Amino acid sequence: EAGVVQSPRYKIIEKKQPVAFWCNPISGHNTLYWYRQNLGQGPELLIRYENEEAVDDSQLPKDRFSAERLKGVDSTLKIQPAELGDSAVYLCASSLQGFGYTFGSGTRLTVV
Amino acid sequence: GESVGLHLPTLSVQEGDNSIINCAYSNSASDYFIWYKQESGKGPQFIIDIRSNMDKRQGQRVTVLLNKTVKHLSLQIAATQPGDSAVYFCAENIPNFGNEKLTFGTGTRLTIIP
C-alpha cells in the first residue's frame, strides 16, 4: 500500500504568487485532512473532508486559502496569494471513520 | 535534513535505556489519544493509541499510560534504539457531535545517545 501521497515535497515561491498542493489518500479512507505545521510546533488542522464534503473548515484562512476534494478521493489545497507567514509544512492525512489517521510526508513551502 | 522543531522540550537517553515522554492534554472531554513519532523530513507516524476508558495500553516496546484525573499521558519506550531518535507528539481527540478534532501537543525531541 502506497500510504498517503503528497506532492510536491518542496516548493519555493515568491510572496504574492499562487501555490497548490496535492494529496492522494489511502484507498478507501473516507476522511481527509489538511494540516499546517509551523517550525517547532505540532500540526494544526486547516480543513477536514468527509468524502467530498468539507465538514470542518473553521481554521482555514478563507481569504487566501481554498481546498477541494472532487469525487471524494484526492484533494488539492491552494494559497493565493502566498504571504511570508505561510511558510510551513503542509500535511495531508486520511482515516477511515475517524480512526487510523495516516499522514503523508508533507510539502515544505518556503515563501521568499 | 529538515529540522521539525528547534525549540522543543528535549530528552536524551542512552541507547538501551528506557525513556518516558510526558504530555499534558487540555480537554477533560477528550476520548481518544494517539502518540505520533516524526522523523526529520517526514510526516507524523502512528505509534500507539488509547481510548479514555483505559489507563494503560502496550505495544511492541511501547506503553502508553493515561491518567484522566490530572489529564496526563505518557509514552514509555523500552530498550531504546538509535532509530527511536525523533520528535514525539501526543494528540487528543475532542468529541464534538460528529465534528471531532485531533489536537496536537507541542512535541518532545528524543535523542538516543549511542
Side-chain angles (χ1 to χ4, degrees):
Chain A
E1 188 174 275
V4 177
V5 180
Q6 290 188 247
S7 68
R9 285 299 315 275
Y10 304 93
K11 190 74 176 178
I12 301 175
I13 62 170
E14 294 183 343
K15 62 182 180 182
K16 300 184 181 180
Q17 294 301 305
V19 65
F21 316 122
W22 177 81
C23 173
N24 192 317
I26 289 176
S27 178
H29 278 193
N30 63 313
T31 307
L32 183 145
Y33 315 78
W34 282 104
Y35 287 84
R36 177 169 57 191
Q37 185 173 29
N38 292 310
L39 195 63
Q41 298 179 20
E44 296 177 320
L45 181 69
L46 292 173
I47 189 168
R48 176 169 70 101
Y49 282 92
E50 295 288 345
N51 301 304
E52 66 274 11
E53 181 182 1
V55 297
D56 183 359
D57 62 357
S58 57
Q59 303 301 312
L60 190 72
K62 298 181 183 63
D63 57 336
R64 297 182 300 106
F65 286 66
S66 64
E68 61 182 12
R69 192 185 184 197
L70 300 177
K71 302 180 181 179
V73 182
D74 55 355
S75 175
T76 56
L77 177 68
K78 299 178 182 178
I79 308 175
Q80 182 172 11
E83 298 179 351
L84 295 176
D86 295 332
S87 295
V89 175
Y90 290 84
L91 293 162
C92 179
S94 68
S95 72
L96 179 61
Q97 305 299 337
F99 293 98
Y101 286 80
T102 303
F103 283 84
S105 296
T107 297
R108 169 164 281 283
L109 173 67
T110 303
V111 182
V112 296
Chain B
E2 167 191 325
S3 176
V4 171
L6 298 179
H7 304 291
L8 298 170
T10 59
L11 175 65
S12 296
V13 175
Q14 202 74 35
E15 181 179 355
D17 288 352
N18 300 333
S19 68
I20 300 177
I21 300 171
N22 296 302
C23 175
Y25 64 92
S26 62
N27 196 316
S28 58
S30 296
D31 61 355
Y32 178 60
F33 305 87
I34 309 173
W35 278 101
Y36 284 94
K37 172 186 181 182
Q38 188 170 26
E39 297 174 279
S40 182
K42 297 183 179 179
Q45 176 187 1
F46 174 93
I47 301 174
I48 191 168
D49 59 1
I50 188 168
R51 300 200 66 84
S52 60
N53 62 351
M54 303 172 68
D55 53 19
K56 180 178 180 179
R57 189 159 188 233
Q58 289 185 288
Q60 187 177 15
R61 288 201 304 119
V62 294
T63 301
V64 55
L65 299 177
L66 174 62
N67 185 331
K68 294 182 288 294
T69 302
V70 295
K71 292 189 289 186
H72 182 269
L73 197 66
S74 69
L75 175 70
Q76 301 176 3
I77 305 174
T80 53
Q81 303 168 357
D84 295 330
S85 293
V87 176
Y88 290 81
F89 292 97
C90 67
E92 61 182 305
N93 183 67
I94 303 173
N96 186 22
F97 304 102
N99 195 24
E100 289 77 13
K101 182 173 294 186
L102 195 66
T103 301
F104 284 77
T106 302
T108 297
R109 180 180 297 282
L110 175 65
T111 301
I112 306 303
I113 304 167

